Amino acid sequence: MDLQRALEILEIDENATSSEIKHKYRDLASIWHPDRHPENPQLQSAALEKMKELNAAYDYICSYLNSKKYFNRETESRSEGGNWTIISCSACGVKNRIKANHRAGTLKCGKCGASLFDFKDSDNSEQPEERILCGDDNCIGIIGVHGRCIYCGKTYEEAKKEYTSREESRQEALRRQFKKIKARQKWQYGFYLFLIAGVAVFFFVIATISPNNSVLQNGSRQKVVSPKKAKTIRPREETVKSSIDIITNSERILVKGLAAYDTSLIKKLLNNSSINRHDIKTVQKNLSILGYNSGQADGIIGPKTLSAVAQFSNDFRIEPSSKYCSDLLYHTNFHATIAVIHADWCTLIKGDELKVWVKNQPIETKKEIEKHITNTKDPWKIIVLLNLYKFDKKAPPPLPLPTNGIMKLSFVKGVAPLKIVTKHKDQHHLIKLINITQKTESLTAFIRGGTSLYLEVPLGRYEIKSAVGKTWYGKKFLFGPYTIYSRLDETFRFEIAGGKVRGHIIELFLQPHGNLSASTISAFNF
């Protein structure tokens, strides 16, 4: 066995920490231990072979890390004038550090107890090796026959006590940090209340001493200015009428089915609005994504920009109205979001091929499409529809399964533990964790069937959605048309309660006494 094979068996990468290696071994051992399958001899036999393979891989990685560790210790000892050497055990392969002048045949291996100079092969037992892992969860070692960890040198009780003390210190630090955050929030809340009250008092004083209610003193005589005599400036009626005429004429042309927009009309509509340079720059960028030649995105309304806006308004039938500029900004943002994923969106929406495909779908599928696509304000639902359409048309080839882990992350550091366990080998899961308060997607993770994934997430309340399937076609198509989408009915709260961080363990498979249910959702709601 080599290092790469051992890493593949434990489903970890070469950068995994000792704690991650240990947790992964424990998770896999809890799944594949033969005692978990007493009623199925065939599965028990397969689990026995898998357990031997896991033990061999774990021992190899332990030996590999020990060799690096003892090599470093030997180098340090020699630099200090010591005279040490490394002897590999012929039975288990573990490297033992001994004095160079020690007589041969009088020392035993720290792990298996075999003589370091006895080259007999160790017996291969039919049962998996019973082992005691070090009490420190961050240590990868195993308790040897001499009662101490072969990696850190501590007994199980010493390592467990040190790990517990370290965890209590970490939790105490979290509690102090949480109290500081609460105190800061209370202070900010009081400051904002004081600021709002001060602003209210300021405007009250200004309103009290305003010219319409002020008292003018002239010697002993006082004069009160009546607010009824105040004059207001009326807007120019000519400007309002000219804008209404433009809109009315444009609507009349649209009814006739002709091109409603030209550059002169666009210029009048933009000049009679309050659109700023930043919005114009955003429109220019969106038009470039959609394939229109709007010139340089500089926020200046030039001939190219006017021509591109006119062409876009004609193609997507944006009606002229008093809200034309806001409609233009909204529609360009909407369609540009789709065009980033599907560059041929403009061609598809102008042609009939997509409409024919939707028309030929089964009745249930057409109802689902009409329910989610009609008058939708979410461009991602359009993107999902195009993904289904292109998968049906192109039939892309299957791709290798992604490795277990996070595919997309929107936070910097998590606090609360979350463990997700799967069982069936052919049911792979793509998990989305949605923050209910912020209404944002916190992370996306992939979990291969029959494995588990451990995460740490920020405190808050979340819901979990999953896409399940057998064959992977990539992030755009997921598991193809056979993808099963679901949402767990329960919401999950991660919080600090009683001085402890509260997390969850979720098992995504049917059980006789399960306490969690899921509801099927459509691809448009995933």
Side-chain angles (χ1 to χ4, degrees), residues 481-501:
Y482 305 105
T483 307
I484 300 174
Y485 301 94
S486 62
R487 177 176 56 236
L488 299 185
D489 295 335
E490 182 180 341
T491 59
F492 301 89
R493 186 181 295 276
F494 297 86
E495 58 187 357
I496 297 178
K500 297 182 180 180
V501 180

Side-chain angles (χ1 to χ4, degrees), residues 470-518:
K470 179 179 180 181
T471 306
W472 180 251
Y473 293 97
K475 294 181 180 179
K476 182 183 291 186
F477 303 117
L478 303 185
F479 301 101
Y482 305 105
T483 307
I484 300 174
Y485 301 94
S486 62
R487 177 176 56 236
L488 299 185
D489 295 335
E490 182 180 341
T491 59
F492 301 89
R493 186 181 295 276
F494 297 86
E495 58 187 357
I496 297 178
K500 297 182 180 180
V501 180
R502 179 186 177 189
H504 294 275
I505 299 177
I506 302 173
E507 297 180 339
L508 298 178
F509 51 89
L510 294 177
Q511 301 184 68
H513 305 287
N515 58 356
L516 187 63
S517 60

Side-chain angles (χ1 to χ4, degrees), residues 35-68:
D35 292 344
R36 295 194 58 158
H37 314 284
E39 300 178 356
N40 191 336
Q42 185 176 2
L43 183 58
Q44 190 176 33
S45 176
L48 177 63
E49 297 300 324
K50 181 65 175 180
M51 195 66 195
K52 289 181 180 179
E53 190 178 43
L54 291 173
N55 288 341
Y58 186 77
D59 289 343
Y60 184 88
I61 293 177
C62 287
S63 302
Y64 174 76
L65 294 178
N66 277 330
S67 65
K68 294 175 64 178

Side-chain angles (χ1 to χ4, degrees), residues 7 34 72 87 109 128-129 136 150 164 170 177 183 213 215-216 258 271 279 301 351 355 377 384 409 469 497:
L7 294 175
N72 294 335
I87 299 296
C109 175
E129 178 185 355
D136 188 348
I150 64 174
T164 304
R170 187 177 71 87
Q177 183 180 2
N213 296 325
V215 178
L216 304 180
L258 303 175
N271 288 338
D279 291 341
I301 304 175
K355 298 177 183 177
K377 295 183 180 179
V384 171
L409 191 66

